[in-house]
Amino acid sequence: MFVGQSNGGRAMSSDAHGTVRNLMKMMLSHHHGARHSQAAAAEVYQTSTIAALLDGIYDGDVTIAELLTHGDFGLGTFNHLDGEMVVLDGVCHHLRSDGSVSVAAPDDRTPFAAVTWFRPETTIAVSAKTRRPEIVALLDQAVATANLIQAIRIEGTFATVKTRTVEAQTRPYPPMTEATAQEPITEFRDVAGTLTGYRTPDYEQGISVAGYHLHFINQARTKGGHSLDFELTEGQIAISTSSELHLSLPRTQAFLDANMSLANVAEQIHQTEGS
C-alpha cells in the first residue's frame, strides 16, 4: 500500500516509497521542444491513475482544452465519473449514461484520461466477421513487443458492440466497484463506428488498465460507451506505438489525501472495466 503525503503530515512507509520510486523510474519522462516533435508523437499523456478512480477520486484538475494539447486520440472519463470519453481526430466526445453524446466543453475537467498523437505504424484489414478474442489474437501477433503502449483504432462495421456507460456520481463518492455495479448494458447491432483505446503492458496495472481498454462511438457520433465485447463484420485496425508515458498527477485535496491500495487491483479493474 502507498499513501500520498497530505497536509495532515502522514508519512509513507519505506515500502511505499520504494513502490513510488520504481514506478517513477519505469514510467515518467520529461520532454523539451515542440509539442509535435517526434518524441511527443510517441508519447502517451495520462492524467491521474486507474487506482485513484477505483478509490473514488472522481474530480480532476485537467481541463479538456489542456488535455487536447497533448494528443488527438484516446479515452477517459469526466469529473463526477460522468460517462465515458472518446477522443477521436482531435475531438473530445462526452458519452453519458442517458445515451446522449456531445462534444465536451473546453472547460470540462477529467479525473482520468490518456491521449496520444495517433500515428499508425501498422494496419490490418479485416474482411470477415471476427469476434473480440480473434481481434485480440491478431493484435497480439501484430505488435513487436508487449512492453510498450499500443494505441488501437478499430474502424468499420460491427455485427454487435456491447457497451456500458457509467452514471454521474454524487458526494460522498462510492468506490468505483460500487458505482459501476448496476450499470445497464447496451448492445448495438449492425452499426458502423470506431473503437478507440490502448493495449497497455502488464506492469502498468493500477497506473492504467493492463491489457485492452476500448471505448466505442458510432459513425454518426451519437451513441457509444465503454466496450465490453464486439464482433467486427469488416473494417481496419490501426496501431500506433508509444515508448514514452507522461504521467500527470492531480493536486486536488482528494488525491493528496487518498489511500490507494494496490491489493486486488486486477480483480477490481476486471469488475469495473470488464477487461
Side-chain angles (χ1 to χ4, degrees):
M1 178 183 295
F2 62 93
V3 182
Q5 180 71 37
S6 75
N7 289 344
R10 291 180 300 178
M12 289 185 179
S13 69
S14 59
D15 288 344
H17 276 298
T19 299
V20 171
R21 281 197 300 270
N22 289 337
L23 290 172
M24 294 286 283
K25 287 178 182 177
M26 282 193 300
M27 297 167 15
L28 295 184
S29 60
H30 299 279
H31 301 287
H32 302 282
R35 186 171 281 127
H36 290 278
S37 67
Q38 184 176 358
E43 177 183 275
V44 171
Y45 170 89
Q46 181 176 309
T47 177
S48 195
T49 70
I50 198 70
L53 277 190
L54 291 172
D55 198 47
I57 311 302
Y58 301 151
D59 292 317
D61 52 9
V62 173
T63 67
I64 299 307
E66 167 64 16
L67 184 70
L68 293 178
T69 68
H70 295 282
D72 59 4
F73 176 94
L75 51 67
T77 186
F78 294 86
N79 273 12
H80 316 303
L81 204 66
D82 183 14
E84 313 292 337
M85 177 191 296
V86 171
V87 179
L88 194 58
D89 300 324
V91 179
C92 183
H93 303 275
H94 191 162
L95 289 61
R96 291 183 172 86
S97 61
D98 63 5
S100 65
V101 176
S102 61
V103 175
D107 59 353
D108 284 349
R109 294 177 186 267
T110 173
F112 175 85
V115 296
T116 189
W117 300 105
F118 193 82
R119 304 292 183 264
E121 299 142 352
T122 303
T123 58
I124 305 168
V126 177
S127 58
K129 281 190 176 182
T130 311
R131 295 197 58 83
R132 185 184 189 277
E134 297 163 324
I135 294 291
V136 166
L138 281 174
L139 287 165
D140 287 345
Q141 293 171 8
V143 300
T145 176
N147 295 328
L148 297 179
I149 307 169
Q150 319 288 344
I152 307 294
R153 176 171 177 160
I154 306 174
E155 191 164 15
T157 304
F158 295 82
T160 62
V161 183
K162 186 181 294 184
T163 68
R164 62 101 173 115
T165 303
V166 67
E167 184 177 1
Q169 302 297 301
T170 56
R171 294 178 183 276
Y173 293 141
M176 195 174 176
T177 51
E178 295 179 19
T180 59
Q182 303 300 321
E183 288 178 333
I185 304 300
T186 300
E187 186 167 351
F188 302 104
R189 294 184 176 274
D190 299 321
V191 59
T194 306
L195 286 164
T196 68
Y198 296 94
R199 181 188 192 274
T200 303
D202 288 345
Y203 60 77
E204 279 198 49
Q205 189 76 296
I207 298 297
S208 301
V209 176
Y212 290 91
H213 183 190
L214 301 169
H215 288 184
F216 176 75
I217 191 167
N218 69 347
Q219 191 174 63
R221 309 294 190 251
T222 57
K223 298 177 181 178
H226 172 89
S227 174
L228 300 172
D229 196 10
F230 63 88
E231 183 177 20
L232 181 64
T233 301
E234 60 177 352
Q236 180 172 278
I237 303 168
I239 306 169
S240 176
T241 302
S242 297
S243 57
E244 308 287 344
L245 176 63
H246 179 150
L247 181 59
S248 176
L249 298 178
R251 290 181 176 270
T252 61
Q253 199 61 47
F255 186 89
L256 297 178
D257 291 343
N259 184 1
M260 290 177 281
S261 171
L262 295 179
N264 302 317
V265 67
E267 181 181 345
Q268 293 179 64
I269 289 174
H270 177 74
Q271 183 178 340
T272 59
E273 300 291 328
S275 60

